[in-house]
Amino acid sequence: MLTSILGRRRRVAAAALLMGAAISLTACGTQRATDVAAGAPGAPPSPSSSPSPGSPGASPYVEPGAGDGAPHYQENNAFRRPRDMSPAGAKDAKKEADRIEPVLKRLWGQKKWDPKSVRAALLELGYKEERTGPKGERLGGTLTVREMDSRFETDHYVTPEGALVGLRVHDDACVTAFVQKTNYQVSTNGPYLEHGCFEPPSGH
């Protein structure tokens, strides 16, 4: 009889121990998820749907629009997004783009896409070359024509034939264009944070 009672007590004690361990493990996981959602010090803003407590290694915050990319892709690439144009700026930029497009079309047809020829043709429209000081400060003029951006091919960098065009219409509005062997294009956009009218290269 005594042996039977002792056996039952041992089984009850073992069951209680197991239940207590399970409860503490569950509580621990929930606490970690709650700390992030509640904005614990150093934690990024909480997303609209928190990761489940049982998903180890789940990122606490994924920036909207990041897709399968890095969680902070948009934030890290803000320098590659142009500023918004005002309605007046956009209208004036479109007007200048309409002046530039036929010139580039003509040059492309004549197989003249080197920066020197493109610059000379656009200066004939009355634009002045943009000038900058030693610290990058603008000293006047609105037009910049330069060679194409270099790109990496196989084991070295190459600079394709062609010219890039940037026209600063207003502080918030630009015309950007290119002409090269295969095609030409004219568009309007706001300026970029560090690169004026030109879109910065992907490496930063």
Side-chain angles (χ1 to χ4, degrees):
M1 181 72 175
L2 183 59
T3 306
S4 171
I5 291 170
L6 285 174
R8 271 201 302 273
R9 284 182 180 167
R10 284 192 189 116
R11 284 196 295 274
V12 170
L17 257 170
L18 284 172
M19 186 172 286
I23 288 169
S24 82
L25 280 173
T26 305
C28 183
T30 304
Q31 183 64 39
R32 280 198 299 271
T34 304
D35 285 346
V36 172
S46 64
S48 54
S49 59
S50 301
S52 64
S55 55
S59 175
Y61 175 70
V62 176
E63 193 172 16
D68 293 333
H72 296 279
Y73 177 83
Q74 300 287 347
E75 177 187 324
N76 294 341
N77 286 273
F79 74 103
R80 300 198 72 228
R81 287 197 303 272
R83 287 170 39 207
D84 291 333
M85 291 188 286
S86 66
K91 182 179 178 182
D92 289 348
K94 172 71 167 63
K95 190 188 304 180
E96 298 304 327
D98 290 343
R99 293 183 71 211
I100 289 172
E101 194 272 338
V103 175
L104 296 189
K105 182 179 181 179
R106 172 174 54 83
L107 291 170
W108 183 69
Q110 296 171 347
K111 302 186 186 321
K112 293 181 179 178
W113 40 74
D114 61 284
K116 184 178 179 181
S117 297
V118 174
R119 184 181 301 109
L122 292 177
L123 289 175
E124 287 178 7
L125 294 179
Y127 301 124
K128 303 292 183 191
E129 276 195 86
E130 187 170 43
R131 294 175 291 111
T132 55
K135 295 180 181 176
E137 67 273 23
R138 290 167 50 202
L139 302 177
T142 57
L143 175 71
T144 301
V145 180
R146 61 178 176 81
E147 63 184 11
M148 302 289 279
D149 289 327
S150 60
R151 59 175 180 245
F152 193 77
E153 288 187 1
T154 312
D155 59 354
H156 64 288
Y157 282 91
V158 297
T159 302
E161 287 183 71
L164 290 173
V165 177
L167 179 71
R168 193 181 290 271
V169 180
H170 294 302
D171 284 341
D172 71 336
C174 293
V175 175
T176 52
F178 67 82
V179 56
Q180 59 185 0
K181 184 176 182 178
T182 53
N183 63 336
Y184 67 93
Q185 180 179 303
V186 179
S187 57
T188 63
N189 55 268
Y192 294 87
L193 187 63
E194 300 172 13
H195 289 255
C197 291
F198 296 107
E199 182 179 2
S202 53
H204 184 61

